[in-house]
Each structure stands twice: as structure tokens, then as C-alpha cells.
């Protein structure tokens, strides 16, 4: 299935990057800039874990091990948030999709709902810097999956399951590759400029 970038007013953006690249940081800022909803699958799942819902009880062991949570569970969570009558118009999806199956389901939803995506922002950061950021966050926040062993597994899973999506979106003309190193303000200005060049601006 092919997808052309949509032309409606509110942007629909996806953030695709390895753990620690700044998805959460930049996702919140982009959503604020455009006045759209920020949907981070990691945050949604952590809320479920914290409140011990059935979804959270199923997701926890995968997250603690640095593995991806099964596709059907994640798809239900995301499609519940962006679906509805009418479907959500603008959004920033942060950390979704992460597998080819998720990407295909998201594309089907987008076409069926007349909510095709405007751009997929990929953040590129060298691996040693990713590890440094995540270990620092682990020390500061105590987040359970920000430890050396789990970080290594999350990076491995990213390469195997998520990195192939870069080619998936490049083939569809949606991929914006952004240098994610340096200060968060600098990264944000790089993203904003690339989106403006694409015709997506606030
Ligand atoms: P996520 O919450 O998405 O975890 P993440 O990949 O580490 O990204 P996060 O957004 O937290 O970190 P960021 O890079 O912004 O997922 C957690 C788990 O949930 C996954 O392992 C998986 O089990 C599950 N999951 C989530 N989505 C799923 C899906 N679709 N399918 C299946 N399973 C799924 O930032 C990291 C740190 O770097 C922060 O401390 C930040 O302050 C810092 N930072 C950011 N930008 C910086 C910069 N420019 N310079 C310096 N530091 C920076």
C-alpha cells in the first residue's frame, strides 16, 4: 500500500528513533508547537503498569526485559486513542510504530480514516551517546528499564525490529532524517526547519 502525505491543517507526525535519541523530549515539544495530542506508547504502557491494569500486568515483563510488548496489545492502545468518531485530526505518535506489523496496521488505519501521515521524524544519535543518556536518566529517575543490561537489549531489539521501518517510510517519501545530537533546543530547531521545508509549519 502506498501513502501520499496528507494536506489537511493539523499535522500527523511519527517519531522513529532508538531508545535515548530524544523521542519523548522532542515529541512533547512538537505537540505543543502544533497544538496537537502527544501520544507516547511508552508513557501509556507505564501508566498501565503503574496502575496494574490487565494491559499493564501483561506488558510489564516485556518492558522490564527490554523487549517489545506484543503488537496486538500496543495496536489496541494506540488505535483506541487516535480512533473514534471522528478520528483524531492531528497528533504526534512517539515510539509507535516499532515493528513492520505495527507500521502496516497504522498505514491501513490512516488510509481508512482519511488521516494519512505528514512526516516520520527519525532522530540519529551515536550509540555511546544513547547509552550515556539512558544511564543518566536511570540514575536520576530510577526508571526500571534504564539499566546497562536492559539498555543493551533495547538497542539490539531496535536494530532488528524497528530500524527496518526507516526504509519502509523512506520508500513512501515520508522520512525526515534529523541529527539528534547536541542540545535539545538545537535538535528541535533542526526538526522544525525540516518540517517547514516540507510544508508542515505552525
Ligand atoms: P519508550 O518509553 O518509548 O522508551 P525509549 O525508547 O527509551 O524512549 P524515551 O522517549 O523514554 O526516551 P528519549 O529517547 O526521549 O519505551 C519503553 C518500552 O515500552 C519499550 O522498551 C517497549 O518495551 C515498550 N514499548 C513502547 N512502545 C512500544 C511499541 N510501539 N511496541 C511495542 N512495545 C513498545 O530520552 C532519553 C533520555 O535522553 C531522557 O532522559 C532525555 O532527557 C535525554 N535526552 C533527550 N534528548 C537529549 C539531548 N538532545 N541531549 C541530551 N539528553 C537528551
Amino acid at each position: 500500500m502506498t501513502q501520499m502525505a496528507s494536506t489537511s491543517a493539523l499535522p500527523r507526525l511519527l517519531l522513529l528513533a532508538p531508545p535515548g535519541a530524544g523521542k519523548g523530549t522532542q515529541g512533547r515539544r512538537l505537540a505543543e508547537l502544533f497544538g496537537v495530542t502527544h501520544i507516547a506508547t511508552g508513557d501509556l504502557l507505564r501508566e498501565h503498569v503503574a496502575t496494574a491494569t490487565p494491559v499493564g500486568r501483561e506488558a510489564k515483563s516485556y518492558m522490564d526485559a527490554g523487549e517489545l510488548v506484543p503488537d496486538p496489545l500496543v495496536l489496541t492502545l494506540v488505535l483506541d486513542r487516535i480512533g473514534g468518531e471522528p478520528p483524531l485530526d492531528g497528533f504526534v505518535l512517539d515510539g509507535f510504530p516499532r515493528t513492520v506489523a505495527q507500521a502496516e496496521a497504522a498505514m491501513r488505519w490512516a488510509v481508512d480514516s482519511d488521516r494519512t501521515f505528514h512526516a516520520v521524524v527519525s532522530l540519529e544519535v551515536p550509540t555511546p551517546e544513547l547509552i550515556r543518556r539512558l544511564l543518566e536518566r536511570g540514575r536520576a529517575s530510577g526508571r526500571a528499564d534504564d539499566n546497562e543490561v536492559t539498555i543493551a537489549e533495547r538497542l539490539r531489539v531496535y536494530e532488528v525490529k524497528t530500524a527496518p521501518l526507516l526504509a519502509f517510510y523512506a520508500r513512501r517519501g515520508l522520512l525526515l532524517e534529523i541529527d539528534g545530537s547536541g542540545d535539545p533546543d538545537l535538535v528541535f530547531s533542526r526538526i522544525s526547519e525540516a518540517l517547514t521545508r516540507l510544508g508542515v509549519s505552525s
Side-chain angles (χ1 to χ4, degrees):
M1 193 188 317
T2 55
Q3 181 195 296
M4 297 303 292
S6 167
T7 52
S8 86
L10 285 177
R12 291 181 284 280
L13 306 174
L14 310 187
L15 274 173
L16 178 60
K23 290 186 299 295
T25 308
Q26 302 300 331
R28 278 186 289 278
R29 291 180 177 210
L30 283 169
E32 194 179 327
L33 175 71
F34 292 116
V36 298
T37 309
H38 174 227
I39 300 168
T41 41
D43 291 347
L44 288 179
L45 288 165
R46 277 186 291 278
E47 276 166 34
H48 278 276
V49 170
T51 49
T53 65
V55 167
R57 284 200 292 275
E58 185 175 347
K60 186 176 185 323
S61 59
Y62 295 98
M63 296 174 77
D64 286 348
E67 306 300 329
L68 293 181
V69 171
D71 289 334
L73 202 151
V74 173
L75 280 167
T76 306
L77 271 188
V78 174
L79 298 182
D80 276 358
R81 286 297 302 275
I82 62 178
E85 284 298 333
L88 208 56
D89 193 4
F91 47 75
V92 175
L93 278 179
D94 158 358
F96 173 91
R98 258 169 150 107
T99 64
V100 171
Q102 291 180 18
E104 286 172 344
M107 196 74 94
R108 276 194 299 278
W109 176 88
V111 171
D112 292 349
S113 314
D114 194 22
R115 296 288 190 274
T116 52
F117 306 131
H118 297 82
V120 178
V121 176
S122 139
L123 298 172
E124 298 172 338
V125 177
T127 304
E129 171 65 6
L130 297 175
I131 296 171
R132 190 195 65 74
R133 290 182 189 180
L134 293 168
L135 286 175
E136 192 174 300
R137 182 173 65 185
R139 275 191 292 272
S141 73
R143 193 170 126 175
D145 57 349
D146 284 341
N147 64 73
E148 218 162 321
V149 173
T150 310
I151 290 168
E153 180 60 8
R154 285 156 66 198
L155 290 170
R156 189 193 69 77
V157 168
Y158 173 81
E159 284 306 323
V160 174
K161 298 203 167 153
T162 309
L165 298 187
L166 296 170
F168 178 97
Y169 288 117
R171 278 198 298 277
R172 289 161 175 84
L174 290 172
L175 190 68
L176 287 182
E177 291 177 291
I178 307 290
D179 176 2
S181 52
D183 184 81
D185 290 342
L186 179 62
V187 177
F188 186 63
S189 64
R190 288 186 195 124
I191 300 173
S192 313
E193 283 163 19
L195 286 170
T196 303
R197 281 195 294 276
L198 202 69
V200 180
S201 51
S202 57

